[in-house]
């Protein structure tokens, strides 16, 4: 007799965990002492820390390396700095085959265990790539992000996603893994060139358009201050955008995106494809700005928002200095359109595109009219 013949025995696994991590906003973090860092690190099991620093940050601010050394020395009764490694940031680190293995090997060489920390100081691309490596090394080594661009501080660095690009597709390999902490230091923003600085504000427009009309109005009326980098306004823009992203992840009911919807990815289906088609000549935030402009016009064309509203927002983004069109979107529309198919596959079968409905609110649409989108792309 076989007990399992013609029968289905099912055990149910069920547990819940509370997830959370601090997201700190400050300045001059590497001059701060034990009190500041005690909410970031828990050294009860391992004191070891390996640090990765974005080469772009080092070039803009060469003393960062000695500042980190001095900071580690000042905390040497708490932490044991195993290495500081300068890494080429930007999209190239996400495209580099073998990058995650290189990080994992360094952890091995320095005997970092899963209770040790990796601290990564850099833009969204480096945080994504090192974060991915950290999430698979020892099945997850502790990871603290120190985001250094607007986009990383207000969006990518505060969330739960990591990833690298493979087979020409953005974030094809990646994980949903929580960081142990995020430490935003506004001083890093002062180092950015105008183009990288501005590109990150596209994500503020994105989230405001679908989540917060009051913040959208604030962005539009403060375009000139943001362009001139008035510190209080830059800090508010970053803080409020990060808060909206955090609220969505924490309270939106689907932090690990089990559903088909990518609610925060308004404007992203074409953006990801534009980045790849331009060989990453377009920065992520710039591609998002173009994707937002295209989808705002589409939302207006199908009656979700008023045409004047779409034009008003696009005008503000343009005034800020964000690109709202790229020749590829007209000249290679079919290739851009493939981005929709990749997006559908990435989110798991069903096409589901976030759109604004009445500004400050989001809706999902489940099909897109190619002819209409092409017409709007030409008009852009
Ligand atoms: N994980 C997520 O949820 C998520 C969300 C949105 C975007 N992203 C990803 O984020 C990436 C874009 O990030 P980004 O906009 O921060 O750009 P980036 O990381 O590509 O950095 C742009 C350039 O700025 C340099 N840099 C970084 N900080 C600097 C500083 N303070 N001073 C001078 N130079 C500096 C970098 O070396 C790089 O050359 C994309 O790969 C995108 O896919 C991830």
């Amino acid at each position: 007799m076989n007990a399992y013949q013609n029968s289905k025995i099912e055990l149910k696994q069920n547990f819940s965990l509370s997830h959370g991590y601090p997201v700190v906003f400050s300045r001059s973090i590497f001059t701060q002492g034990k009190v500041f860092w005690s909410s970031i690190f828990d050294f009860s099991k391992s004191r070891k820390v390996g640090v990765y620093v974005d080469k772009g940050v080092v070039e803009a601010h060469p003393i960062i390396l000695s500042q980190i050394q001095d900071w580690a020395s000042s905390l040497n009764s708490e932490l044991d700095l195993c290495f500081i490694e300068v890494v080429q940031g930007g999209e190239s680190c996400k495209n580099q085959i073998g990058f995650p293995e290189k990080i994992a090997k360094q952890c091995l060489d320095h005997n970092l265990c899963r209770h040790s920390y990796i601290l990564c100081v850099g833009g969204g691309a480096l945080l994504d790539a090192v974060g991915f490596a950290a999430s698979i090394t020892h099945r997850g080594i502790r990871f603290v992000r120190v985001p250094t661009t607007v986009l990383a501080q207000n969006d990518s660095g505060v969330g739960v996603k990591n990833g690298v690009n493979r087979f020409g597709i953005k974030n094809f390999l990646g994980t949903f893994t929580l960081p142990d902490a995020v430490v935003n230091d506004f001083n890093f923003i002062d180092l950015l060139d105008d183009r990288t600085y501005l590109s990150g504000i596209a994500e503020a427009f994105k989230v405001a358009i679908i989540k917060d009309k009051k913040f959208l109005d604030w962005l539009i009326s403060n375009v000139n201050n943001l362009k001139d980098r008035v510190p209080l306004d830059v800090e508010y823009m970053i803080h409020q955008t990060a808060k909206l992203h955090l609220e969505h992840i924490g309270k939106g009911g689907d932090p690990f995106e089990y559903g088909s919807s990518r609610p925060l990815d308004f404007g992203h289906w074409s953006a990801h494809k534009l980045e790849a088609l331009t060989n990453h000549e377009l920065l992520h935030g710039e591609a998002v700005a173009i994707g937002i402009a295209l989808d705002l016009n589409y939302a207006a064309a199908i009656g979700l928002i008023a045409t004047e509203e779409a034009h008003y927002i696009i005008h503000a983004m343009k005034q800020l200095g964000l690109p709202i069109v790229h020749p590829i979107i007209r000249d290679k529309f079919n290739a851009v359109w493939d981005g929709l198919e990749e997006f559908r596959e990435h989110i798991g079968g069903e096409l589901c595109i976030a759109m604004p409905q009445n500004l400050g609110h989001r809706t999902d649409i489940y099909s897109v009219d190619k002819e209409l989108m092409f017409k709007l792309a030409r008009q852009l």
Side-chain angles (χ1 to χ4, degrees), residues 170-220:
K170 286 275 293 181
N171 307 318
F172 190 76
L173 299 183
T175 56
F176 286 96
T177 310
L178 278 74
D180 287 82
V182 183
V183 192
N184 278 338
D185 182 335
F186 292 127
N187 284 355
F188 287 115
I189 302 305
D190 302 340
L191 306 172
L192 291 170
D193 61 70
D194 281 345
R195 193 180 160 203
T196 314
Y197 162 77
L198 287 173
S199 70
I201 306 179
E203 299 284 7
F205 272 90
K206 172 208 75 180
V207 75
I209 290 167
I210 54 173
K211 288 255 170 210
D212 189 340
K213 167 82 164 57
K214 206 167 139 215
F215 181 44
L216 177 62
D217 291 340
W218 182 90
L219 285 170
I220 293 172

Side-chain angles (χ1 to χ4, degrees), residues 81-265:
L81 179 64
C82 298
F83 62 86
I84 305 184
E85 176 89 10
V86 179
V87 203
Q88 181 69 54
E91 208 61 29
S92 67
C93 68
K94 289 179 71 170
N95 288 329
Q96 197 184 316
I97 307 285
F99 185 84
E101 288 84 348
K102 196 176 130 195
I103 305 287
K105 179 70 169 46
Q106 238 153 0
C107 294
L108 176 67
D109 292 346
H110 291 275
N111 302 108
L112 298 194
C113 72
R114 44 200 314 259
H115 301 294
S116 311
Y117 283 91
I118 289 182
L119 179 86
C120 184
V121 182
L126 190 69
L127 295 175
D128 270 5
V130 175
F132 174 59
S135 76
I136 55 175
T137 303
H138 293 305
R139 295 200 176 107
I141 196 165
R142 293 176 186 231
F143 186 56
V144 173
R145 299 192 189 118
V146 177
T148 58
T149 62
V150 172
L151 189 138
Q153 293 196 355
N154 73 10
D155 180 356
S156 79
V158 302
V160 296
K161 296 194 266 188
N162 304 295
V164 294
N165 311 328
R166 290 295 180 267
F167 318 118
I169 299 175
K170 286 275 293 181
N171 307 318
F172 190 76
L173 299 183
T175 56
F176 286 96
T177 310
L178 278 74
D180 287 82
V182 183
V183 192
N184 278 338
D185 182 335
F186 292 127
N187 284 355
F188 287 115
I189 302 305
D190 302 340
L191 306 172
L192 291 170
D193 61 70
D194 281 345
R195 193 180 160 203
T196 314
Y197 162 77
L198 287 173
S199 70
I201 306 179
E203 299 284 7
F205 272 90
K206 172 208 75 180
V207 75
I209 290 167
I210 54 173
K211 288 255 170 210
D212 189 340
K213 167 82 164 57
K214 206 167 139 215
F215 181 44
L216 177 62
D217 291 340
W218 182 90
L219 285 170
I220 293 172
S221 21
N222 285 281
V223 153
N224 288 331
N225 285 2
L226 291 172
K227 196 172 177 172
D228 294 342
R229 302 193 183 203
V230 174
L232 274 179
D233 293 316
V234 175
E235 289 167 5
Y236 174 71
M237 177 272 296
I238 290 176
H239 186 272
Q240 182 62 15
T241 307
K243 191 162 159 261
L244 288 169
H245 281 117
L246 282 170
E247 277 171 7
H248 174 79
I249 295 165
K251 298 185 188 148
D254 191 16
F256 304 124
E257 297 177 7
Y258 286 123
S260 292
S261 176
R262 295 275 303 267
L264 287 181
D265 276 359

